[in-house]
């Protein structure tokens, strides 16, 4: 169980109905369609929906307790034996409940944020922690003001380490999540351009990411990208640990080697590690996991084995086999100009392909600077890239630039997925590697599905 309705009444004191130590809550959910006996339903209100309208469905699917906005009349259809906890705001109640449950279980909490790589880093940290501790972690990208509290409320009571991803699009959001999670240690993977439309500049993005320290334990350690100039001022002994390629970092990376499906790298601790991912940027993400392992005294061999046998969240640089043996890299979950350039650099280093094809789509939330940011991607598109295909609106500036600057690379822009899929047919063979990269809203995975076996 998570807790009882009696414990719940100690957090949310205004309750209508009977509470009991025998009434056990095993699941907290906000989606009335979830089927789970002994659950607590929390209806959330949005611009175009109100979860309160679906309370009957939630009860039919197993809810034995409900949190309710006191401004809304409690429907007579709720059975009298089901306690209704009255609150001013159901989302705030969800967050308060998560805060209290985190303190009740009291695991070591690792908070992770950053413009790029936070989901992969979360997967790596969780893998390392699972080698030694009972570990619970964010599933997928449940990393916002609803997803993070639900992740906390989904952890078993015997959890020893809780690994939480924290996402944001505006100032104040990471601060809120950090104060809910109260991390013992925190990681800032990097500072990119994601959400610059709302944050104004990379300096603004750095300021927003640094909100993660607002809930950090007094004895907590902040691990940062030491190669990022915007984080240089954070190099504080015993409080901040820097990781990166520059030798001045507390934990530095060298001897990176990228093979067909693995990356190996050596750290300044004299150990060499292997990850089943491609790219220098993933080596850096893995370094954060190594550092967390060291802080929590995980054996070095266990760290090595955890990274070598890593399982990652889907659509993050997945290497797939498609029709006629073509190699496809599915990196279509999300994108920024920084992560797009990093992915292209990886493709350039992979050996054994006659054709290296880039399929690039729009990067969203770049505001008025969008075309300029897209244009910067062309800076890294050089041989051995052989073909560039773009789709979307702003991505067209990339293919236009390459046609002018690197005419030896075949470059073409497409208005529809159907036209692009048709063009790709002639490249479906063992000699071709195709990278797919764009913001999630471009839905490039639909193209990938049609090219798989």
């Amino acid at each position: 169980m998570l807790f009882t309705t009696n414990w719940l009444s100690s957090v949310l004191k205004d309750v209508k109905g009977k509470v009991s130590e025998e009434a056990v809550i095993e699941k907290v959910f906000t989606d009335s369609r979830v089927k789970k006996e002994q659950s607590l339903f929390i209806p959330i209100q949005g611009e175009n929906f109100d979860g309160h309208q679906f309370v009957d469905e939630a009860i039919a699917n197993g809810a034995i307790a409900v949190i309710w906005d006191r401004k809304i009349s409690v429907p007579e259809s709720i059975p009298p034996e089901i306690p209704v906890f009255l609150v001013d705001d159901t989302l705030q109640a969800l967050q308060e409940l998560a805060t209290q449950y985190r303190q009740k279980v009291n695991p070591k909490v690792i908070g992770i944020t950053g413009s790029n790589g936070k989901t992969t880093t979360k997967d790596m940290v969780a893998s390392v922690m699972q080698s030694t501790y009972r570990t619970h972690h964010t599933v997928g990208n449940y990393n916002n003001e609803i997803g993070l509290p639900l992740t906390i409320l989904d952890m078993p009571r015997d959890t020893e380490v809780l690994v939480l991803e924290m996402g944001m699009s505006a100032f104040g959001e990471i601060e809120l999540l950090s104060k809910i999670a109260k991390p013992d240690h925190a990681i800032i993977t990097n500072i990119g351009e994601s959400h610059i439309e709302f944050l104004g500049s990379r300096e603004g993005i750095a300021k927003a990411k640094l909100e993660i320290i607002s809930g950090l334990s007094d004895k907590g350690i902040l691990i940062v990208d030491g190669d990022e100039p915007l984080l240089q001022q954070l190099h504080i002994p015993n409080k901040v640990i820097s990781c990166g390629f520059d030798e001045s970092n507390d934990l530095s990376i060298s001897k990176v080697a990228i093979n067909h499906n693995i990356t190996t790298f050596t750290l300044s601790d004299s150990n060499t590690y292997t990850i089943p991912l491609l790219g220098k940027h993933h080596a850096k993400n893995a370094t954060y996991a190594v550092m967390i392992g060291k802080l929590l005294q995980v054996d070095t061999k266990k760290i090595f084995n955890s990274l070598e046998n890593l399982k990652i969240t889907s659509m993050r640089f997945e290497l797939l086999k498609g029709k006629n043996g073509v190699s496809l890299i599915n990196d279509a979950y999300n994108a920024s100009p920084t992560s797009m350039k990093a992915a292209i650099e990886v493709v350039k280093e992979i050996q054994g392909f006659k054709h290296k094809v880039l399929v690039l789509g729009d990067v969203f939330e770049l505001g008025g600077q969008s075309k300029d940011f897209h244009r910067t991607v062309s800076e890294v598109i050089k041989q051995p890239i052989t073909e560039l295909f773009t789709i979307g609106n702003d991505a067209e500036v990339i293919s236009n630039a390459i046609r002018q600057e690197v005419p030896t690379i075949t470059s073409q822009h497409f208005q529809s997925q159907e036209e692009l899929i048709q063009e790709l047919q002639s490249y479906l063979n063992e000699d071709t590697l195709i990278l797919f990269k764009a913001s999630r809203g471009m839905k490039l995975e639909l193209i990938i599905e049609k090219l798989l076996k």
Side-chain angles (χ1 to χ4, degrees), residues 254-308:
S254 63
K255 300 179 183 176
V256 178
I258 301 171
N259 296 309
H260 190 70
N261 56 1
I262 63 170
T263 297
T264 60
F265 58 96
T266 300
L267 297 182
S268 50
D269 65 357
S270 301
N271 292 308
T272 297
Y273 300 86
T274 301
I275 51 175
L277 294 168
L278 302 173
K280 294 173 66 177
H281 58 302
H282 287 310
K284 185 182 286 188
N285 294 335
T287 303
Y288 303 134
V290 172
M291 195 66 248
I292 287 291
K294 291 176 179 294
L295 289 175
L296 271 67
Q297 300 179 322
V298 178
D299 181 78
T300 300
K301 288 184 179 179
K302 289 184 177 181
I303 296 175
F304 179 89
N305 290 333
S306 299
L307 293 176
E308 189 175 40

Short mmCIF file of all heavy atoms in Angstrom, two decimals, residues 254-308:
data_model
loop_
_atom_site.label_atom_id
_atom_site.label_comp_id
_atom_site.label_asym_id
_atom_site.label_seq_id
_atom_site.Cartn_x
_atom_site.Cartn_y
_atom_site.Cartn_z
N SER A 254 37.53 11.76 -21.66
CA SER A 254 38.51 11.69 -22.74
C SER A 254 38.37 10.37 -23.47
O SER A 254 37.59 9.49 -23.07
CB SER A 254 39.94 11.85 -22.19
OG SER A 254 40.25 10.77 -21.32
N LYS A 255 39.10 10.23 -24.57
CA LYS A 255 39.20 8.98 -25.33
C LYS A 255 37.82 8.43 -25.69
O LYS A 255 37.53 7.25 -25.50
CB LYS A 255 39.99 7.94 -24.56
CG LYS A 255 41.42 8.35 -24.25
CD LYS A 255 42.16 7.28 -23.45
CE LYS A 255 43.56 7.74 -23.09
NZ LYS A 255 44.27 6.74 -22.24
N VAL A 256 36.96 9.30 -26.24
CA VAL A 256 35.62 8.86 -26.66
C VAL A 256 35.75 8.12 -27.99
O VAL A 256 36.35 8.63 -28.94
CB VAL A 256 34.66 10.05 -26.81
CG1 VAL A 256 33.31 9.57 -27.29
CG2 VAL A 256 34.54 10.79 -25.49
N ALA A 257 35.20 6.92 -28.05
CA ALA A 257 35.21 6.13 -29.29
C ALA A 257 33.78 5.67 -29.59
O ALA A 257 33.11 5.10 -28.73
CB ALA A 257 36.13 4.92 -29.14
N ILE A 258 33.33 5.95 -30.81
CA ILE A 258 31.97 5.58 -31.22
C ILE A 258 32.07 4.46 -32.23
O ILE A 258 32.67 4.61 -33.30
CB ILE A 258 31.25 6.80 -31.84
CG1 ILE A 258 31.17 7.94 -30.81
CG2 ILE A 258 29.85 6.40 -32.32
CD1 ILE A 258 30.66 9.24 -31.38
N ASN A 259 31.46 3.32 -31.90
CA ASN A 259 31.42 2.18 -32.80
C ASN A 259 30.01 2.04 -33.36
O ASN A 259 29.19 2.95 -33.22
CB ASN A 259 31.89 0.92 -32.08
CG ASN A 259 33.34 1.05 -31.65
OD1 ASN A 259 34.20 1.39 -32.45
ND2 ASN A 259 33.62 0.79 -30.37
N HIS A 260 29.69 0.90 -33.94
CA HIS A 260 28.41 0.77 -34.65
C HIS A 260 27.21 0.96 -33.72
O HIS A 260 26.23 1.58 -34.09
CB HIS A 260 28.32 -0.59 -35.34
CG HIS A 260 27.15 -0.69 -36.28
ND1 HIS A 260 27.10 0.02 -37.47
CD2 HIS A 260 25.98 -1.37 -36.19
CE1 HIS A 260 25.95 -0.24 -38.08
NE2 HIS A 260 25.27 -1.08 -37.33
N ASN A 261 27.29 0.45 -32.51
CA ASN A 261 26.13 0.58 -31.61
C ASN A 261 26.52 0.86 -30.16
O ASN A 261 25.70 0.74 -29.26
CB ASN A 261 25.27 -0.69 -31.66
CG ASN A 261 26.06 -1.94 -31.33
OD1 ASN A 261 27.25 -1.87 -31.03
ND2 ASN A 261 25.41 -3.09 -31.40
N ILE A 262 27.78 1.26 -29.93
CA ILE A 262 28.20 1.59 -28.57
C ILE A 262 29.14 2.80 -28.58
O ILE A 262 29.74 3.12 -29.61
CB ILE A 262 28.92 0.41 -27.86
CG1 ILE A 262 30.20 0.05 -28.61
CG2 ILE A 262 28.00 -0.79 -27.70
CD1 ILE A 262 31.09 -0.93 -27.87
N THR A 263 29.25 3.43 -27.43
CA THR A 263 30.23 4.49 -27.22
C THR A 263 31.05 4.12 -25.99
O THR A 263 30.50 3.75 -24.96
CB THR A 263 29.55 5.85 -26.99
OG1 THR A 263 28.82 6.21 -28.17
CG2 THR A 263 30.58 6.94 -26.70
N THR A 264 32.36 4.22 -26.09
CA THR A 264 33.22 4.01 -24.93
C THR A 264 33.94 5.33 -24.62
O THR A 264 34.19 6.14 -25.51
CB THR A 264 34.27 2.91 -25.18
OG1 THR A 264 35.10 3.30 -26.28
CG2 THR A 264 33.60 1.58 -25.48
N PHE A 265 34.24 5.53 -23.36
CA PHE A 265 34.92 6.76 -22.96
C PHE A 265 35.65 6.51 -21.65
O PHE A 265 35.31 5.60 -20.88
CB PHE A 265 33.91 7.91 -22.79
CG PHE A 265 32.81 7.64 -21.79
CD1 PHE A 265 32.91 8.10 -20.48
CD2 PHE A 265 31.69 6.92 -22.15
CE1 PHE A 265 31.92 7.86 -19.55
CE2 PHE A 265 30.67 6.66 -21.22
CZ PHE A 265 30.79 7.13 -19.93
N THR A 266 36.67 7.31 -21.41
CA THR A 266 37.47 7.21 -20.19
C THR A 266 37.27 8.47 -19.36
O THR A 266 37.22 9.58 -19.90
CB THR A 266 38.96 7.04 -20.53
OG1 THR A 266 39.12 5.84 -21.30
CG2 THR A 266 39.79 6.93 -19.26
N LEU A 267 37.15 8.30 -18.04
CA LEU A 267 36.99 9.43 -17.14
C LEU A 267 38.29 9.66 -16.37
O LEU A 267 39.17 8.80 -16.32
CB LEU A 267 35.84 9.18 -16.17
CG LEU A 267 34.44 9.05 -16.80
CD1 LEU A 267 33.38 8.85 -15.72
CD2 LEU A 267 34.11 10.27 -17.65
N SER A 268 38.36 10.81 -15.75
CA SER A 268 39.57 11.16 -15.00
C SER A 268 39.71 10.33 -13.73
O SER A 268 40.71 10.48 -13.01
CB SER A 268 39.57 12.65 -14.66
OG SER A 268 38.35 13.06 -14.07
N ASP A 269 38.74 9.44 -13.44
CA ASP A 269 38.91 8.48 -12.35
C ASP A 269 39.68 7.25 -12.85
O ASP A 269 39.80 6.26 -12.12
CB ASP A 269 37.56 8.06 -11.77
CG ASP A 269 36.69 7.29 -12.76
OD1 ASP A 269 37.11 7.12 -13.93
OD2 ASP A 269 35.58 6.86 -12.37
N SER A 270 40.15 7.32 -14.12
CA SER A 270 40.97 6.27 -14.76
C SER A 270 40.17 5.06 -15.19
O SER A 270 40.75 4.05 -15.61
CB SER A 270 42.14 5.83 -13.85
OG SER A 270 42.97 6.95 -13.56
N ASN A 271 38.86 5.11 -15.08
CA ASN A 271 38.02 4.00 -15.50
C ASN A 271 37.43 4.27 -16.88
O ASN A 271 37.11 5.41 -17.23
CB ASN A 271 36.88 3.77 -14.51
CG ASN A 271 37.38 3.25 -13.18
OD1 ASN A 271 38.11 2.26 -13.12
ND2 ASN A 271 37.00 3.92 -12.10
N THR A 272 37.29 3.20 -17.67
CA THR A 272 36.68 3.27 -19.00
C THR A 272 35.29 2.64 -18.95
O THR A 272 35.11 1.56 -18.39
CB THR A 272 37.56 2.56 -20.04
OG1 THR A 272 38.81 3.24 -20.12
CG2 THR A 272 36.91 2.60 -21.42
N TYR A 273 34.32 3.32 -19.53
CA TYR A 273 32.92 2.89 -19.48
C TYR A 273 32.38 2.70 -20.90
O TYR A 273 32.87 3.32 -21.85
CB TYR A 273 32.07 3.92 -18.75
CG TYR A 273 32.49 4.16 -17.31
CD1 TYR A 273 33.50 5.09 -17.02
CD2 TYR A 273 31.91 3.47 -16.26
CE1 TYR A 273 33.91 5.32 -15.71
CE2 TYR A 273 32.30 3.69 -14.94
CZ TYR A 273 33.30 4.61 -14.68
OH TYR A 273 33.70 4.83 -13.38
N THR A 274 31.35 1.86 -21.01
CA THR A 274 30.70 1.59 -22.29
C THR A 274 29.20 1.79 -22.14
O THR A 274 28.60 1.34 -21.16
CB THR A 274 30.96 0.14 -22.74
OG1 THR A 274 32.37 -0.06 -22.86
CG2 THR A 274 30.29 -0.15 -24.07
N ILE A 275 28.59 2.47 -23.12
CA ILE A 275 27.14 2.64 -23.12
C ILE A 275 26.59 2.22 -24.49
O ILE A 275 27.24 2.43 -25.51
CB ILE A 275 26.73 4.10 -22.83
CG1 ILE A 275 27.47 5.09 -23.74
CG2 ILE A 275 26.96 4.43 -21.35
CD1 ILE A 275 27.02 6.52 -23.59
N PRO A 276 25.38 1.63 -24.51
CA PRO A 276 24.78 1.20 -25.79
C PRO A 276 24.07 2.36 -26.49
O PRO A 276 22.95 2.22 -26.99
CB PRO A 276 23.79 0.11 -25.34
CG PRO A 276 23.35 0.57 -23.98
CD PRO A 276 24.57 1.21 -23.36
N LEU A 277 24.72 3.51 -26.52
CA LEU A 277 24.21 4.72 -27.16
C LEU A 277 25.34 5.32 -27.97
O LEU A 277 26.52 5.07 -27.69
CB LEU A 277 23.73 5.73 -26.12
CG LEU A 277 22.50 5.34 -25.28
CD1 LEU A 277 22.35 6.30 -24.12
CD2 LEU A 277 21.25 5.35 -26.15
N LEU A 278 24.98 6.16 -28.92
CA LEU A 278 25.99 6.71 -29.81
C LEU A 278 26.15 8.20 -29.57
O LEU A 278 25.18 8.96 -29.58
CB LEU A 278 25.57 6.48 -31.27
CG LEU A 278 25.36 5.01 -31.67
CD1 LEU A 278 24.79 4.90 -33.07
CD2 LEU A 278 26.66 4.24 -31.56
N GLY A 279 27.40 8.65 -29.31
CA GLY A 279 27.64 10.07 -29.25
C GLY A 279 28.37 10.57 -28.03
O GLY A 279 28.22 10.04 -26.92
N LYS A 280 29.17 11.62 -28.24
CA LYS A 280 29.90 12.25 -27.14
C LYS A 280 28.94 12.85 -26.11
O LYS A 280 29.23 12.86 -24.92
CB LYS A 280 30.81 13.34 -27.70
CG LYS A 280 31.94 12.83 -28.57
CD LYS A 280 32.72 13.98 -29.22
CE LYS A 280 33.45 14.81 -28.18
NZ LYS A 280 34.27 15.87 -28.83
N HIS A 281 27.80 13.37 -26.60
CA HIS A 281 26.84 13.97 -25.67
C HIS A 281 26.28 12.93 -24.71
O HIS A 281 26.00 13.23 -23.55
CB HIS A 281 25.73 14.69 -26.42
CG HIS A 281 24.93 13.85 -27.37
ND1 HIS A 281 25.50 13.16 -28.42
CD2 HIS A 281 23.60 13.58 -27.43
CE1 HIS A 281 24.56 12.52 -29.08
NE2 HIS A 281 23.41 12.75 -28.50
N HIS A 282 26.13 11.69 -25.19
CA HIS A 282 25.65 10.63 -24.30
C HIS A 282 26.74 10.21 -23.31
O HIS A 282 26.45 9.78 -22.19
CB HIS A 282 25.15 9.43 -25.11
CG HIS A 282 23.84 9.67 -25.78
ND1 HIS A 282 22.75 10.18 -25.10
CD2 HIS A 282 23.44 9.50 -27.05
CE1 HIS A 282 21.72 10.30 -25.94
NE2 HIS A 282 22.12 9.90 -27.12
N ALA A 283 28.00 10.31 -23.73
CA ALA A 283 29.10 10.04 -22.80
C ALA A 283 29.03 11.02 -21.63
O ALA A 283 29.23 10.65 -20.47
CB ALA A 283 30.44 10.14 -23.51
N LYS A 284 28.73 12.29 -21.94
CA LYS A 284 28.61 13.27 -20.87
C LYS A 284 27.42 12.95 -19.96
O LYS A 284 27.52 13.03 -18.72
CB LYS A 284 28.47 14.69 -21.43
CG LYS A 284 28.46 15.76 -20.35
CD LYS A 284 28.28 17.16 -20.93
CE LYS A 284 29.52 17.65 -21.61
NZ LYS A 284 29.42 19.10 -22.00
N ASN A 285 26.28 12.58 -20.56
CA ASN A 285 25.12 12.21 -19.75
C ASN A 285 25.45 11.04 -18.82
O ASN A 285 25.05 11.02 -17.65
CB ASN A 285 23.94 11.84 -20.64
CG ASN A 285 23.41 13.02 -21.44
OD1 ASN A 285 23.57 14.16 -21.03
ND2 ASN A 285 22.78 12.74 -22.57
N ALA A 286 26.21 10.08 -19.34
CA ALA A 286 26.60 8.92 -18.53
C ALA A 286 27.52 9.33 -17.40
O ALA A 286 27.49 8.75 -16.30
CB ALA A 286 27.27 7.88 -19.41
N THR A 287 28.32 10.36 -17.63
CA THR A 287 29.24 10.83 -16.60
C THR A 287 28.49 11.35 -15.38
O THR A 287 28.91 11.17 -14.23
CB THR A 287 30.18 11.92 -17.17
OG1 THR A 287 30.86 11.37 -18.30
CG2 THR A 287 31.19 12.38 -16.14
N TYR A 288 27.34 12.00 -15.63
CA TYR A 288 26.51 12.44 -14.49
C TYR A 288 26.06 11.24 -13.66
O TYR A 288 26.05 11.29 -12.43
CB TYR A 288 25.27 13.19 -14.99
CG TYR A 288 25.56 14.39 -15.86
CD1 TYR A 288 24.85 14.61 -17.04
CD2 TYR A 288 26.54 15.32 -15.52
CE1 TYR A 288 25.09 15.71 -17.84
CE2 TYR A 288 26.79 16.42 -16.32
CZ TYR A 288 26.07 16.61 -17.48
OH TYR A 288 26.31 17.70 -18.28
N ALA A 289 25.68 10.16 -14.34
CA ALA A 289 25.24 8.95 -13.63
C ALA A 289 26.39 8.33 -12.85
O ALA A 289 26.20 7.84 -11.72
CB ALA A 289 24.66 7.94 -14.62
N VAL A 290 27.59 8.33 -13.44
CA VAL A 290 28.77 7.82 -12.73
C VAL A 290 29.00 8.63 -11.46
O VAL A 290 29.26 8.08 -10.38
CB VAL A 290 30.01 7.88 -13.63
CG1 VAL A 290 31.27 7.55 -12.83
CG2 VAL A 290 29.86 6.92 -14.81
N MET A 291 28.88 9.95 -11.56
CA MET A 291 29.13 10.82 -10.41
C MET A 291 28.10 10.58 -9.31
O MET A 291 28.46 10.52 -8.13
CB MET A 291 29.08 12.28 -10.86
CG MET A 291 29.67 13.25 -9.85
SD MET A 291 31.44 13.03 -9.61
CE MET A 291 31.50 12.42 -7.93
N ILE A 292 26.83 10.41 -9.68
CA ILE A 292 25.81 10.10 -8.68
C ILE A 292 26.12 8.76 -8.02
O ILE A 292 25.98 8.60 -6.80
CB ILE A 292 24.41 10.07 -9.32
CG1 ILE A 292 23.94 11.50 -9.65
CG2 ILE A 292 23.40 9.40 -8.41
CD1 ILE A 292 23.63 12.36 -8.45
N GLY A 293 26.56 7.80 -8.82
CA GLY A 293 26.94 6.51 -8.26
C GLY A 293 28.04 6.63 -7.23
O GLY A 293 28.00 6.01 -6.16
N LYS A 294 29.03 7.46 -7.52
CA LYS A 294 30.12 7.68 -6.57
C LYS A 294 29.61 8.33 -5.29
O LYS A 294 30.01 7.96 -4.17
CB LYS A 294 31.20 8.55 -7.22
CG LYS A 294 31.99 7.88 -8.34
CD LYS A 294 32.97 8.84 -8.98
CE LYS A 294 33.78 8.20 -10.08
NZ LYS A 294 34.71 7.15 -9.59
N LEU A 295 28.73 9.33 -5.43
CA LEU A 295 28.20 10.03 -4.25
C LEU A 295 27.41 9.10 -3.35
O LEU A 295 27.42 9.25 -2.13
CB LEU A 295 27.32 11.20 -4.69
CG LEU A 295 28.03 12.41 -5.32
CD1 LEU A 295 27.01 13.42 -5.82
CD2 LEU A 295 28.98 13.07 -4.32
N LEU A 296 26.74 8.12 -3.96
CA LEU A 296 25.93 7.19 -3.17
C LEU A 296 26.65 5.85 -2.97
O LEU A 296 26.02 4.84 -2.66
CB LEU A 296 24.55 6.97 -3.82
CG LEU A 296 23.47 7.97 -3.36
CD1 LEU A 296 23.80 9.38 -3.84
CD2 LEU A 296 22.09 7.57 -3.82
N GLN A 297 27.96 5.86 -3.20
CA GLN A 297 28.83 4.74 -2.86
C GLN A 297 28.45 3.43 -3.56
O GLN A 297 28.51 2.35 -2.98
CB GLN A 297 28.87 4.53 -1.34
CG GLN A 297 29.40 5.78 -0.61
CD GLN A 297 29.42 5.61 0.90
OE1 GLN A 297 28.52 5.03 1.46
NE2 GLN A 297 30.45 6.15 1.54
N VAL A 298 28.10 3.54 -4.83
CA VAL A 298 27.84 2.34 -5.64
C VAL A 298 29.18 1.80 -6.14
O VAL A 298 30.05 2.58 -6.58
CB VAL A 298 26.92 2.68 -6.84
CG1 VAL A 298 26.72 1.44 -7.71
CG2 VAL A 298 25.59 3.20 -6.34
N ASP A 299 29.37 0.51 -6.07
CA ASP A 299 30.61 -0.12 -6.51
C ASP A 299 30.88 0.19 -7.98
O ASP A 299 29.96 0.17 -8.82
CB ASP A 299 30.51 -1.63 -6.31
CG ASP A 299 31.77 -2.36 -6.73
OD1 ASP A 299 32.74 -2.33 -5.97
OD2 ASP A 299 31.76 -2.93 -7.84
N THR A 300 32.12 0.47 -8.32
CA THR A 300 32.49 0.86 -9.69
C THR A 300 32.10 -0.20 -10.71
O THR A 300 31.62 0.11 -11.81
CB THR A 300 34.00 1.15 -9.79
OG1 THR A 300 34.32 2.22 -8.89
CG2 THR A 300 34.39 1.55 -11.20
N LYS A 301 32.28 -1.47 -10.37
CA LYS A 301 31.90 -2.55 -11.30
C LYS A 301 30.40 -2.54 -11.57
O LYS A 301 29.95 -2.80 -12.69
CB LYS A 301 32.34 -3.90 -10.75
CG LYS A 301 33.84 -4.13 -10.78
CD LYS A 301 34.21 -5.52 -10.31
CE LYS A 301 35.71 -5.74 -10.38
NZ LYS A 301 36.10 -7.10 -9.89
N LYS A 302 29.62 -2.23 -10.53
CA LYS A 302 28.17 -2.16 -10.71
C LYS A 302 27.78 -0.97 -11.59
O LYS A 302 26.85 -1.06 -12.39
CB LYS A 302 27.47 -2.08 -9.35
CG LYS A 302 27.53 -3.36 -8.55
CD LYS A 302 26.74 -3.25 -7.26
CE LYS A 302 26.74 -4.57 -6.50
NZ LYS A 302 25.95 -4.48 -5.24
N ILE A 303 28.49 0.14 -11.43
CA ILE A 303 28.24 1.29 -12.29
C ILE A 303 28.53 0.92 -13.74
O ILE A 303 27.72 1.18 -14.65
CB ILE A 303 29.11 2.50 -11.88
CG1 ILE A 303 28.74 2.98 -10.48
CG2 ILE A 303 28.95 3.64 -12.89
CD1 ILE A 303 29.63 4.10 -9.94
N PHE A 304 29.67 0.29 -13.97
CA PHE A 304 30.06 -0.12 -15.33
C PHE A 304 29.00 -1.04 -15.93
O PHE A 304 28.54 -0.83 -17.07
CB PHE A 304 31.41 -0.83 -15.29
CG PHE A 304 31.87 -1.29 -16.64
CD1 PHE A 304 32.63 -0.46 -17.46
CD2 PHE A 304 31.54 -2.56 -17.12
CE1 PHE A 304 33.05 -0.89 -18.71
CE2 PHE A 304 31.95 -3.00 -18.36
CZ PHE A 304 32.71 -2.15 -19.17
N ASN A 305 28.59 -2.06 -15.20
CA ASN A 305 27.62 -3.03 -15.72
C ASN A 305 26.25 -2.39 -15.96
O ASN A 305 25.56 -2.73 -16.93
CB ASN A 305 27.47 -4.21 -14.75
CG ASN A 305 28.72 -5.08 -14.72
OD1 ASN A 305 29.46 -5.14 -15.69
ND2 ASN A 305 28.96 -5.74 -13.60
N SER A 306 25.86 -1.47 -15.09
CA SER A 306 24.56 -0.81 -15.24
C SER A 306 24.50 0.03 -16.51
O SER A 306 23.49 0.05 -17.21
CB SER A 306 24.28 0.08 -14.03
OG SER A 306 24.23 -0.68 -12.84
N LEU A 307 25.59 0.72 -16.81
CA LEU A 307 25.63 1.53 -18.02
C LEU A 307 25.74 0.67 -19.28
O LEU A 307 25.12 0.96 -20.31
CB LEU A 307 26.80 2.52 -17.95
CG LEU A 307 26.68 3.61 -16.88
CD1 LEU A 307 27.93 4.46 -16.85
CD2 LEU A 307 25.45 4.48 -17.12
N GLU A 308 26.51 -0.40 -19.19
CA GLU A 308 26.69 -1.26 -20.35
C GLU A 308 25.39 -1.95 -20.75
O GLU A 308 25.14 -2.19 -21.94
CB GLU A 308 27.76 -2.31 -20.06
CG GLU A 308 28.17 -3.12 -21.27
CD GLU A 308 29.32 -4.07 -20.96
OE1 GLU A 308 29.31 -4.67 -19.86
OE2 GLU A 308 30.22 -4.19 -21.80
#
